[in-house]
Amino acid sequence: MSRIVFWDYGHDGSSEIAAAGAVCMALAYPERILLFNEDHAGAGVESGFSFHEHACGGNIQPLTEYGMDALRRLAANQRLTSRNFSDYTYPLIKDKLDLVSGFGLQEKQEQFESEKMPRPLYDVAEQVYDMIFTRSIYPSDCTDRPIRVAVLRQNRLELERFFDEFSNGDQASPLADAIVLQRYDPASHWSAVNIRRRFECKIFLYPVPHSTEFMDAWNNRNILKFFRLHRLMSNKGSQKQGMLPSLMSLSEGLHELAAGRTGTARNGKRGA
């Protein structure tokens, strides 16, 4: 099992990339994947999906029979097992990708006051799923070091901050194993090639360009429709540098990293 943790410096772009990456991985590979929302219900990595029963004035009410709150209650009563875990998740892609919906607002606050992440839930989930995708504000608190993906913008101060922290960090537990440049502009002076050269970047780096269609789907809580409509986009000459081919390249790289962690590394493309 590989846990893949996406994080950012507060602009929340990691939620979009984590969700899109999980869908893309599920469509491309045979592994069973879990998208785990550590934020409150309806926000975070589940912002791009619509499956809640009640939504009023933009306030999403969690489905009480699913998600983090239900799983926590079962775990507290010692009734959560690998056999029933998936019964409390929402199937996004049948038999391939499930989602753990987030906390109720009060539950989230109480949870993070007592413990920084829901470890008991992960312990059981790891027995069920091959990969777990999440956006976390506590990536360094994982017991088993996850694959960490920093989602950055083409912003000089942000890039300088990252590479300074990366170079001064713990090499045994680095800040990131890969970088995603979100809403990438290839015409910018801060291109992937220039960033790699300027900062002597040796880790995976993936530019993912902006897509109006994806953002519309995200805002409409229907990114699955985006993938259904555009899965063949990479076969069209004019779309070879679009968002979907870039996400496919990211998925390939993450799959390679995950395979390497388990000692079954495969050949694959490295980031741009």
Side-chain angles (χ1 to χ4, degrees):
M1 194 289 306
S2 293
R3 190 182 307 166
I4 304 177
V5 176
F6 296 78
W7 63 270
D8 57 60
Y9 281 120
H11 54 81
D12 201 34
S14 55
S15 294
E16 299 167 14
I17 296 298
V23 174
C24 197
M25 183 80 79
L27 293 173
Y29 293 97
E31 284 85 355
R32 191 176 182 189
I33 297 169
L34 180 68
L35 183 59
F36 198 111
N37 187 16
E38 291 189 17
D39 210 314
H40 61 81
V45 298
E46 64 181 281
S47 299
F49 305 97
S50 178
F51 53 85
H52 291 271
E53 290 179 326
H54 306 290
C56 181
N59 295 319
I60 303 297
Q61 302 299 319
L63 297 174
T64 55
E65 69 269 30
Y66 294 103
M68 191 79 77
D69 297 343
L71 290 168
R72 283 186 61 215
R73 286 193 294 271
L74 286 170
N77 294 325
Q78 298 184 337
R79 294 171 55 195
L80 183 63
T81 69
S82 59
R83 292 185 177 182
N84 66 10
F85 187 97
S86 296
D87 294 339
Y88 298 90
T89 66
Y90 188 88
L92 297 174
I93 300 175
K94 183 176 173 58
D95 298 326
K96 295 296 299 294
L97 176 62
D98 293 341
L99 168 71
V100 171
S101 184
F103 296 97
L105 292 177
Q106 185 62 33
E107 292 285 342
K108 173 181 167 58
Q109 180 180 354
E110 293 174 355
Q111 168 75 5
F112 283 157
E113 286 176 354
S114 61
E115 54 179 299
K116 289 186 176 179
M117 62 181 298
R119 281 198 185 93
L121 306 190
Y122 277 118
D123 290 342
V124 180
E126 289 168 358
Q127 302 173 38
V128 182
Y129 297 90
D130 300 299
M131 293 186 183
I132 299 176
F133 280 62
T134 187
R135 182 254 183 185
S136 179
I137 58 176
Y138 297 110
S140 63
D141 289 341
C142 297
T143 304
D144 57 327
R145 192 177 82 75
I147 295 169
R148 297 179 184 142
V149 182
V151 180
L152 306 177
R153 300 170 296 176
Q154 287 169 288
N155 176 286
R156 177 174 181 168
L157 293 179
E158 188 169 292
L159 291 164
E160 289 177 343
R161 173 184 175 181
F162 171 82
F163 283 103
D164 180 65
E165 292 176 349
F166 182 85
S167 62
N168 293 320
D170 182 359
Q171 295 304 306
S173 183
L175 195 62
D177 301 283
I179 298 168
V180 170
L181 295 176
Q182 188 198 28
R183 303 185 188 180
Y184 179 72
D185 178 4
S188 169
H189 173 73
W190 294 85
S191 66
V193 171
N194 286 342
I195 290 170
R196 184 177 290 282
R197 182 186 300 118
R198 180 184 182 94
F199 297 104
E200 299 182 353
C201 177
K202 304 299 183 184
I203 63 175
F204 286 65
L205 189 152
Y206 297 94
V208 177
H210 173 75
S211 167
T212 301
E213 292 84 359
F214 176 82
M215 289 311 304
D216 284 346
W218 181 267
N219 290 328
N220 290 330
R221 294 184 174 272
N222 196 6
I223 66 169
L224 290 175
K225 181 178 180 181
F226 170 85
F227 283 95
R228 286 196 298 268
L229 293 176
H230 298 283
R231 281 186 67 182
L232 299 179
M233 187 182 296
S234 59
N235 294 329
K236 300 178 181 180
S238 62
Q239 298 290 348
K240 287 184 178 179
Q241 302 304 316
M243 183 179 184
L244 188 56
S246 298
L247 287 172
M248 295 171 77
S249 179
L250 171 63
S251 296
E252 183 177 350
L254 294 177
H255 194 266
E256 180 180 343
L257 279 171
R261 290 286 176 87
T262 59
T264 56
R266 52 186 281 280
N267 292 327
K269 296 180 181 179
R270 193 172 177 86

